[in-house]
């Protein structure tokens, strides 16, 4: 992709409305454009990051046998009346009437719809367990939308819904999703802290939040330090809870191992039994022809919130530092002197050679050297190949690591070879 064609309206100004660093950087890097309070247009850089996250999520969810769907964003109110949640959900729900005066709503979540699809097609115990997921837009009319896309009203979410024959089955599915989530967050380049959201309720509701440590987070976490280095992905094998629930007397965390940090909730999983299957009369027949209401769970990841959370966890004073796995491009080529023929020749050569193996952003714009370097650091692509006049004459380019700031001079072939 050529920067001269790529739409990334960057800016030097720190926007006064943005308090959180990720919000500032997303605006400055030209990733989002506010449409209304808590509602954003997502511009090409952020679309590319969300696609990367989406691909990782899909790979890991497919691996555990989850079925990707798109539930409709607009749902009939009747489904929610059936489950008993229509009134209870309150003002966070955006309610809509069609031209015939029928009541609809914009999905804040999709348990009812998943249950509705299930009851239409699934009749036998042989079809279980079953796991659906989607990656789609949600709308919740949050009372206080804030911090940019961190708490939006319209946001992009991965939501999953599981159906099992009994509690043991539901627990197995829950553990499978838990592990898959830990893997997803690690692959993205983050350190997830799973928090037991409803402790001690064995047999009742199980729930875990997945938190990313960040000074700017909305939650306070009490956790066992070992969590950060552990790869033991059993739910609650190591303990963490949020502030209002922390009781030092009841805590299994030894005092010497206790750490307290702020966190951003990027995922949330629940087991809730037959809460929807029963009122919505979604059942299957078991081996003996008996009616069984499946045990359900739901599993969310805030994809759009993750974009901001990644930036909170990975930036410096010059801008964003994308983890390689979710970076909008793998590498950027900075031609500092677009009028110089040698520089153009080298930049094009490197660009053409890398295109087949990497996503490359080639900054071919005629702007000042300072602006070009600042923009590259701001948008945070992990590697930069910098082409300047003097060294270009002798076939040398600079290779910069955005994270460490380290710059190494190398031949054109070596720079290309580094990525092929
Ligand atoms: P929160 O406590 O932050 O409101 P929640 O418990 O309402 O979250 P869930 O319904 O479990 O969230 O949704 C799953 C995930 O979707 C959350 O873990 C979070 O990452 C994300 N999410 C929820 N609400 C928002 C929002 N308003 N804006 C952006 N992401 C959100
Ligand atoms: Mg909420």
């Amino acid at each position: 992709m050529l920067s001269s064609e790529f739409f990334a309206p960057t800016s030097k100004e720190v926007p006064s409305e943005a308090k959180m660093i990720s919000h500032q950087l997303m605006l400055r890097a030209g990733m989002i454009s506010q449409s209304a309070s808590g509602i954003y247009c997502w511009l090409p850089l952020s679309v590319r990051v969300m696609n990367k996250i989406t691909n990782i999520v899909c790979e890991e969810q497919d691996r555990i046998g989850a079925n990707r769907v798109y539930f409709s964003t607009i749902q009939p109110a009747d489904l929610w009346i059936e489950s008993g949640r229509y009134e209870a959900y309150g003002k966070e729900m955006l309610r809509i009437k069609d031209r015939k005066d029928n009541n609809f709503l914009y999905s804040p979540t999709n348990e009812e719809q998943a249950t509705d699809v299930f009851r239409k097609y699934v009749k036998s115990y042989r079809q279980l367990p079953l796991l659906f997921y989607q990656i789609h837009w949600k709308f919740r009319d949050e009372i206080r939308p804030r911090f940019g896309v961190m708490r939006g009203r319209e946001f992009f979410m991965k939501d999953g819904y599981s159906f099992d024959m009994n509690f043991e089955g539901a627990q197995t599915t829950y553990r499978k999703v838990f592990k898959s989530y830990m893997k997803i967050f690690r692959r993205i380049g983050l350190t997830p802290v799973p928090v037991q959201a409803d402790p001690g309720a064995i047999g009742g509701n199980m729930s875990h939040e997945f938190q990313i440590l960040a000074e700017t987070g909305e939650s306070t976490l009490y956790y066992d330090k070992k969590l950060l280095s552990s790869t033991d992905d059993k739910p609650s094998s190591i303990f963490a809870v949020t502030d209002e629930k922390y009781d030092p007397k009841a805590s299994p965390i030894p005092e010497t191992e206790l750490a307290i940090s702020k966190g951003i909730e990027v995922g949330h999983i629940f087991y809730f039994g037959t809460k929807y299957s029963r009122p919505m009369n979604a059942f299957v027949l078991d081996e003996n022809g008996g009616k069984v209401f499946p045990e359900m769970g739901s599993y969310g990841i805030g994809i759009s919130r993750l974009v901001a959370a990644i930036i909170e966890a990975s930036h410096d004073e010059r801008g964003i530092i994308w983890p390689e796995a979710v970076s909008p491009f793998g590498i950027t080529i900075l031609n500092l002197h677009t009028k110089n023929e040698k520089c153009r020749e080298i930049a094009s050569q490197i660009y053409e050679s890398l295109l087949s193996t990497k996503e490359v952003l080639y900054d071919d714009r005629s702007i000042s050297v300072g602006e070009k370097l600042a923009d590259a650091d701001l948008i945070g692509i992990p590697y930069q190949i910098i082409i300047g006049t003097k060294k270009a004459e002798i076939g040398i380019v600079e290779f910069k690591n955005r994270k460490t700031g380290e710059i190494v001079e190398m031949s054109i072939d070596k720079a290309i070879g580094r990525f092929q």
Side-chain angles (χ1 to χ4, degrees):
M1 193 92 204
L2 301 176
S3 290
S4 57
E5 293 170 348
F6 188 68
F7 187 70
T10 54
S11 146
K12 281 200 274 298
E13 312 303 326
V14 177
S16 58
E17 77 271 24
K19 294 192 178 58
M20 220 180 202
I21 192 78
S22 56
H23 188 193
Q24 292 173 3
L25 288 173
M26 286 183 81
L27 288 168
R28 285 189 51 213
M31 293 178 69
I32 47 170
S33 165
Q34 187 171 12
S35 168
S37 169
I39 305 178
Y40 292 87
C41 300
W42 293 78
L43 305 183
L45 272 177
S46 54
V47 169
R48 295 181 77 95
V49 174
M50 291 222 281
N51 282 343
K52 292 281 164 63
I53 299 172
T54 297
N55 289 341
I56 292 174
V57 170
C58 291
E59 275 179 32
E60 294 304 331
Q61 288 289 290
D62 291 353
R63 218 188 284 282
I64 60 166
N67 294 274
R68 188 174 183 189
V69 299
Y70 285 117
F71 294 120
S72 62
T73 54
I74 306 288
Q75 303 182 36
D78 285 347
L79 279 180
W80 287 62
I81 292 168
E82 259 190 89
S83 73
R85 274 213 291 185
Y86 188 58
E87 294 306 329
Y89 207 88
K91 289 197 165 181
E92 272 194 21
M93 180 187 281
L94 182 65
R95 292 151 209 266
I96 307 162
K97 273 192 196 297
D98 72 1
R99 64 166 73 199
K100 293 181 185 149
D101 233 22
N102 295 315
N103 289 313
F104 286 87
L105 57 101
Y106 194 103
S107 300
T109 181
N110 295 72
E111 281 80 5
E112 283 81 355
Q113 234 172 2
T115 309
D116 186 48
V117 171
F118 180 93
R119 70 181 168 184
K120 282 180 182 151
Y121 298 102
V122 183
K123 308 287 179 199
S124 159
Y125 71 97
R126 287 195 199 86
Q127 291 163 279
L128 295 191
L130 184 61
L131 185 51
F132 291 127
Y133 78 102
Q134 66 164 352
I135 297 178
H136 217 183
W137 296 97
K138 298 279 180 287
F139 192 92
R140 293 181 189 173
D141 203 351
E142 297 272 356
I143 188 161
R144 221 176 301 125
R146 56 192 170 146
F147 308 139
V149 302
M150 197 67 91
R151 182 168 297 283
R153 292 197 293 166
E154 185 179 66
F155 57 100
F156 205 42
M157 196 211 272
K158 176 266 166 183
D159 44 328
Y161 306 90
S162 68
F163 300 82
D164 275 275
M165 280 302 282
N166 48 40
F167 177 66
E168 288 65 43
Q171 232 180 351
T172 303
T173 299
Y174 186 94
R175 290 200 186 111
K176 239 189 335 195
V177 178
F178 183 101
K179 280 192 175 189
S180 168
Y181 273 31
M182 292 298 276
K183 203 157 163 209
I184 287 167
F185 296 126
R186 291 202 182 106
R187 274 189 65 184
I188 287 171
L190 297 168
T191 304
V193 176
V195 172
Q196 203 175 321
D198 192 359
I202 306 293
N205 295 344
M206 278 186 286
S207 173
H208 282 86
E209 293 169 2
F210 295 83
Q211 300 270 352
I212 298 304
L213 300 186
E215 284 162 28
T216 43
E218 286 186 288
S219 331
T220 308
L221 311 180
Y222 291 75
Y223 61 97
D224 191 322
K225 277 181 214 146
K226 287 196 288 294
L227 259 179
L228 301 185
S229 52
S230 166
T231 47
D232 174 6
D233 286 344
K234 280 199 232 62
S236 38
S237 65
I238 305 179
F239 199 76
V241 290
T242 50
D243 50 348
E244 73 272 23
K245 290 178 193 117
Y246 191 70
D247 174 1
K249 281 190 236 83
S251 167
I253 308 172
E255 216 173 313
T256 50
E257 297 301 313
L258 177 68
I260 306 172
S261 308
K262 292 283 182 192
I264 299 168
E265 181 195 315
V266 291
H268 199 169
I269 60 177
F270 301 88
Y271 156 80
F272 44 73
T274 59
K275 185 174 170 191
Y276 300 93
S277 53
R278 199 177 282 276
M280 293 183 68
N281 201 31
F283 64 88
V284 294
L285 299 180
D286 65 14
E287 298 99 306
N288 308 315
K291 237 187 192 185
V292 174
F293 294 108
E295 300 263 332
M296 292 176 61
S298 73
Y299 312 93
I301 294 179
I303 305 279
S304 52
R305 180 180 288 181
L306 258 175
V307 177
I310 293 165
I311 297 173
E312 288 297 326
S314 185
H315 67 269
D316 63 14
E317 65 292 344
R318 294 192 304 281
I320 302 165
I321 304 170
W322 291 111
E324 278 185 59
V326 295
S327 179
F329 291 92
I331 183 162
T332 180
I333 298 169
L334 310 183
N335 180 359
L336 301 186
H337 302 288
T338 49
K339 292 201 176 67
N340 179 290
E341 204 171 313
K342 188 75 189 168
C343 289
R344 276 208 309 274
E345 192 187 301
I346 293 174
S348 304
Q349 185 196 343
I350 298 177
Y351 181 56
E352 299 297 335
S353 321
L354 292 183
L355 263 186
S356 57
T357 51
K358 276 272 165 192
E359 291 169 296
V360 193
L361 181 66
Y362 167 18
D363 196 342
D364 60 336
R365 296 173 301 166
S366 300
I367 57 171
S368 77
V369 170
E371 276 177 284
K372 199 165 276 196
L373 294 172
D375 263 7
D377 282 352
L378 174 63
I379 66 175
I381 296 163
Y383 302 105
Q384 304 172 4
I385 293 179
I386 304 169
I387 299 153
T389 328
K390 284 208 190 84
K391 290 183 185 129
E393 296 296 341
I394 52 166
I396 295 290
V397 298
E398 287 181 341
F399 179 84
K400 177 173 164 182
N401 180 316
R402 170 65 184 89
K403 187 171 178 180
T404 61
E406 187 193 12
I407 295 175
V408 185
E409 290 185 1
M410 54 180 75
S411 68
I412 296 163
D413 286 347
K414 189 141 180 249
I416 294 170
R418 172 76 177 67
F419 285 99
Q420 274 177 337

